[in-house]
Amino acid sequence: MIKIDYNLQPTDLNSKLKRFWVLSGQKIQSIEQNYDVSKGSPVFTKKGEYTTRGWTEWTQGFQYGSAILQFDATGEQEFLEIGRKNTLNVMAPHVSHIGVHDHGFNNVSTYGNLLRLMREGKITFNEWEKNFYELALKISGAVQASRWTSLGSDRLPSVAEHSRNQRNEGFIHSFNGAHSLFVDTIRSCRALVLSYRLGHVFQGEGDVKINMLDRALQHIKATADFSVFYGEGRDSYDIWGRTAHESVFNVKDGNFRCPNSQQGYTGFSTWTRGLAWAMCGFPEELEFLETLEDAELENFGGRASIEKYMLKAAQATCDFYIEHTPIDGIPYWDTGAPNLHKLGDYLSEKANPYNDFEPVDASAAAIGSQGLLRLGRYLMRKGDTEAGRKYWQAGLTVLNSLLEEPYLSTHENHQGLLLHSIYHQPNGWDYVPEGSKIANGESSMWGDYHFREVALYVQKLINQEPYYAFFNCLEK
């Protein structure tokens, strides 16, 4: 269980953040100067050098988005040029990519961040450049929304369903196919809601207009209902906040069949990076809801109903993380990993990335810490000071651990920024160094990007800059 430091203040991290951004800039420059782009997008490191891994193209937005975040944090123009040039020259295929569920990762991290900087006055306003970023975000959201599985059209409604307001239910399906809901994809709902707010008209067969806010909310509701568990007896391992990486459906009748996992140990344990995606995704969508008028939400159950299920999922996942993570806030890769018992009372100690049995995944900590901070701030602003402070201080505690060795990468020859990230433990894709029995010491594009993102989030609060939110790219 995380030992929450209730005395830690954001300003206490000032000196660590300054060191962090110096190291971060060095890593970005090393990748820009030395990585062979003909190999494909960089995914994770091997012996400290970024390499690729063919599965899907989901990490390139993190590569160039990192340079944009670096500029935002430091004002160093060279990083803006890396981000802007490569967004223009490289990212267009990701806007029209119909085969992935990762539009939030690739396109909000690049086009979205650049548009946000323009809205905030950090880069010079240019009407045509603004239009370019907006057009990319409009189309990205529509393409992502088109990757749709409907759960309502062929399913016979139950008596309970007859008694409530009827509307279709569904989700954005993963690259596995129409039967597959990934917990990760909640963060691609950002692409849908931005496209909606930018006024894009998404049309299907027969010119039928499809509401992207509706699809985003349907997907978020499906994630809350099926990916997150609440101790309500859905199966023998149902406890508050457990999260399934994948939820499998019968696409003929729309019924849920079982939890599953691609990168975790089983569907009945919690892959901690999947948990972290939910921890981050629900609070940021709760923040986005505050930008909408009540009337925009009436046809989808109303504000109170939507906030209720989002907040329940956010608190459940964050509670689970706090309870099932070692005292320093750095989790092992899966809470049901088969050899964790060999570590003894591991939840009462700091995580050990150099143990002989199971890897830690610091990338889950980077993603999850942002979720803890956002949820904490949201609740404190809503008047729930006690709960809000718990999550807020937990988020600061995790970030404080990450900003120190052995997680902060300080060696000049290592291209990664956040050490001890795990990609796919079941498939054995992660590099195991000589003399070690488990993977450790390596970095990932998503880990490095989200490390920068949570560092920027806190730095902006310290400096009283505009609050860091994905929807700040929208006109106020």
Side-chain angles (χ1 to χ4, degrees):
M1 180 177 177
I2 298 175
K3 186 177 180 180
I4 300 173
D5 185 346
Y6 280 95
N7 295 315
L8 190 63
Q9 298 299 313
T11 51
D12 295 335
L13 305 179
N14 257 328
S15 60
K16 292 182 179 181
L17 288 170
K18 289 177 182 177
R19 181 191 189 208
F20 169 86
W21 289 114
V22 171
L23 292 167
S24 171
Q26 293 169 357
K27 310 298 185 183
I28 293 169
Q29 288 171 329
S30 176
I31 296 167
E32 183 69 10
Q33 293 165 9
N34 299 303
Y35 183 75
D36 183 358
V37 295
S38 67
K39 295 179 179 179
S41 303
V43 179
F44 57 178
T45 62
K46 180 179 181 180
K47 298 182 180 180
E49 292 188 1
Y50 261 102
T51 184
T52 192
R53 179 82 207 196
W55 201 12
T56 63
E57 285 283 348
W58 73 285
T59 60
Q60 197 153 44
F62 296 144
Q63 179 185 3
Y64 302 127
S66 286
I68 298 166
L69 297 183
Q70 183 76 19
F71 165 75
D72 194 356
T74 67
E76 296 171 280
Q77 193 73 21
E78 63 184 294
F79 296 106
L80 173 62
E81 292 311 309
I82 291 171
R84 186 151 51 182
K85 174 190 69 177
N86 287 294
T87 297
L88 175 63
N89 295 336
V90 178
M91 293 304 297
H94 299 290
V95 175
S96 59
H97 198 333
I98 64 173
V100 297
H101 53 269
D102 302 309
H103 279 247
F105 294 149
N106 274 318
N107 300 317
V108 177
S109 302
T110 48
Y111 299 100
N113 270 325
L114 287 167
L115 182 59
R116 176 181 59 80
L117 290 175
M118 188 171 286
R119 294 283 191 209
E120 293 175 355
K122 281 208 164 183
I123 61 177
T124 303
F125 181 84
N126 179 283
E127 185 72 26
W128 276 102
E129 186 177 353
K130 173 188 75 74
N131 292 343
F132 170 70
Y133 299 145
E134 287 185 346
L135 180 60
L137 291 167
K138 288 176 180 179
I139 303 307
S140 174
V143 170
Q144 190 70 105
S146 70
R147 192 173 175 80
W148 191 251
T149 294
S150 176
L151 298 179
S153 58
D154 296 325
R155 184 178 60 173
L156 292 175
S158 66
V159 173
E161 288 173 319
H162 273 304
S163 67
R164 70 171 186 254
N165 182 35
Q166 288 295 297
R167 66 182 184 91
N168 284 340
E169 298 173 349
F171 59 87
I172 301 161
H173 54 259
S174 82
F175 60 65
N176 274 348
H179 65 285
S180 171
L181 165 64
F182 272 13
V183 69
D184 329 13
T185 313
I186 187 171
R187 296 212 73 210
S188 280
C189 289
R190 295 176 298 166
L192 276 69
V193 298
L194 288 179
S195 186
Y196 164 79
R197 278 290 309 276
L198 288 168
H200 187 56
V201 178
F202 176 36
Q203 297 183 112
E205 300 296 327
D207 294 339
V208 172
K209 293 179 174 60
I210 299 167
N211 186 303
M212 281 185 285
L213 176 61
D214 184 20
R215 287 212 165 168
L217 292 174
Q218 285 188 51
H219 180 91
I220 295 167
K221 182 66 162 61
T223 303
D225 285 350
F226 298 106
S227 302
V228 182
F229 290 73
Y230 304 101
E232 296 170 347
R234 282 177 57 194
D235 60 35
S236 298
Y237 306 97
D238 185 345
I239 60 174
W240 177 257
R242 176 188 134 212
T243 304
H245 180 195
E246 182 178 36
S247 300
V248 177
F249 293 82
N250 181 330
V251 296
K252 285 288 188 180
D253 62 14
N255 283 311
F256 172 76
R257 299 304 303 156
C258 64
N260 191 33
S261 190
Q262 297 296 313
Q263 290 162 270
Y265 181 56
T266 76
F268 298 98
S269 62
T270 293
W271 173 51
T272 52
R273 179 149 51 89
L275 173 70
W277 293 132
M279 291 168 62
C280 190
F282 285 108
E284 68 185 354
E285 293 295 344
L286 280 166
E287 291 177 331
F288 172 75
L289 284 182
E290 295 182 303
T291 72
L292 300 177
E293 300 292 335
D294 288 349
E296 294 177 85
L297 300 172
E298 281 305 312
N299 289 335
F300 314 123
R303 183 180 300 277
S305 172
I306 296 167
E307 287 180 344
K308 183 178 180 181
Y309 68 72
M310 284 193 191
L311 184 57
K312 180 181 179 182
Q315 290 191 271
T317 51
C318 286
D319 287 344
F320 184 95
Y321 187 91
I322 291 170
E323 292 289 328
H324 296 270
T325 296
I327 61 174
D328 56 356
I330 315 299
Y332 289 87
W333 72 279
D334 193 295
T335 61
N339 292 309
L340 278 178
H341 69 280
K342 296 180 181 179
L343 294 174
D345 189 13
Y346 64 92
L347 292 180
S348 298
E349 304 169 349
K350 289 185 177 181
N352 177 12
Y354 303 108
N355 74 83
D356 288 339
F357 303 108
E358 296 289 357
V360 305
D361 187 359
S363 73
I367 300 159
S369 61
Q370 184 182 160
L372 288 164
L373 290 165
R374 290 189 185 277
L375 177 59
R377 179 180 178 273
Y378 176 85
L379 287 171
M380 286 189 287
R381 290 175 63 246
K382 294 289 186 180
D384 192 348
T385 305
E386 183 178 356
R389 186 164 179 260
K390 178 185 77 169
Y391 299 123
W392 176 260
Q393 294 300 142
L396 289 178
T397 301
V398 177
L399 178 57
N400 190 42
S401 295
L402 292 174
L403 288 169
E404 298 175 343
E405 295 177 275
Y407 300 104
L408 180 64
S409 175
T410 59
H411 199 289
E412 62 181 8
N413 292 328
H414 199 298
Q415 291 182 330
L417 182 61
L418 177 63
L419 299 179
H420 311 303
S421 178
I422 292 295
Y423 189 11
H424 206 313
Q425 171 73 4
N427 277 0
W429 287 355
D430 300 276
Y431 178 70
V432 179
E434 185 176 353
S436 177
K437 295 181 180 180
I438 63 166
N440 60 57
E442 302 298 341
S443 304
S444 64
M445 265 298 146
W446 59 89
D448 288 359
Y449 177 86
H450 286 89
F451 197 7
R452 292 181 176 104
E453 196 167 63
V454 70
L456 181 64
Y457 176 89
V458 172
Q459 179 169 300
K460 282 180 170 291
L461 290 169
I462 294 171
N463 295 339
Q464 298 183 326
E465 296 180 50
Y467 183 70
Y468 180 70
F470 75 89
F471 49 83
N472 276 4
C473 65
L474 299 169
E475 190 171 10
K476 297 218 176 7

